[in-house]
Amino acid sequence: DSINKYVVYGKNSKAKTQEPEKIKANPFGLKNMLGNTAEYCADWYSPDAYTQLSNGASDPKGPAGGEEHVVRGGHFRSDIADVRSASRSATQSVAWLKTDPQMPKSIWWLSDCNYISFRVVCEYDEKIKKN
């Protein structure tokens, strides 16, 4: 139950993304680093990336190119087991672009995917906090 204070996922999301103030910050002062929306990564997806590891590496570099990108971290519809940075899946471009109303189809339209975003971290100005 303590995870509900820090992460938005299937059990506590009310089937939609939640505002940042709905959860507490982690020990580093960050919110939504897991859950709420999954993280779109620049890495290309390969289903066998982890089987290609060698020499004690723990994170695969992945292929130099491909058709789908890596998605990490779980989202507001995820089971709690999938709300972790090691949770890894792939984009589904063909399926997500099926209902694109634009002609020609846009490479940015993801109408059937409302659970992927970017995670942004920036420096926080302590002077602003005091005012």
Side-chain angles (χ1 to χ4, degrees):
D1 285 333
S2 65
I3 195 76
N4 289 320
K5 297 175 187 173
Y6 299 95
V7 177
V8 175
Y9 67 107
K11 183 178 175 183
N12 67 0
S13 70
K14 301 178 185 173
K16 61 182 182 177
T17 57
Q18 298 295 313
E19 296 290 328
E21 63 266 9
K22 299 287 183 184
I23 60 170
K24 290 183 177 184
N26 67 17
F28 301 104
L30 304 171
K31 293 184 176 186
N32 290 318
M33 294 308 294
L34 299 171
N36 213 11
T37 63
E39 178 181 358
Y40 177 91
C41 301
D43 301 351
W44 292 105
Y45 181 78
S46 173
D48 64 348
Y50 283 94
T51 63
Q52 306 300 318
L53 294 175
S54 61
N55 298 329
S58 60
D59 189 21
K61 183 170 177 76
E67 294 185 19
E68 301 294 342
H69 287 273
V70 172
V71 176
R72 289 190 182 266
H75 52 81
F76 68 92
R77 289 188 267 172
S78 294
D79 291 331
I80 194 61
D82 295 326
V83 180
R84 56 194 186 94
S85 59
S87 176
R88 186 174 167 276
S89 61
T91 55
Q92 300 169 28
S93 300
V94 172
W96 294 342
L97 291 170
K98 282 185 178 178
T99 61
D100 184 350
Q102 301 181 62
M103 292 298 168
K105 294 198 177 295
S106 165
I107 63 168
W108 299 110
W109 182 264
L110 300 176
S111 62
D112 294 331
C113 178
N114 63 351
Y115 56 88
I116 293 181
S117 186
F118 298 95
R119 301 203 193 281
V120 178
V121 178
C122 62
E123 298 273 337
Y124 182 75
D125 189 343
E126 288 293 326
K127 294 176 188 174
I128 294 173
K129 182 180 177 183
K130 292 177 184 176
N131 294 333

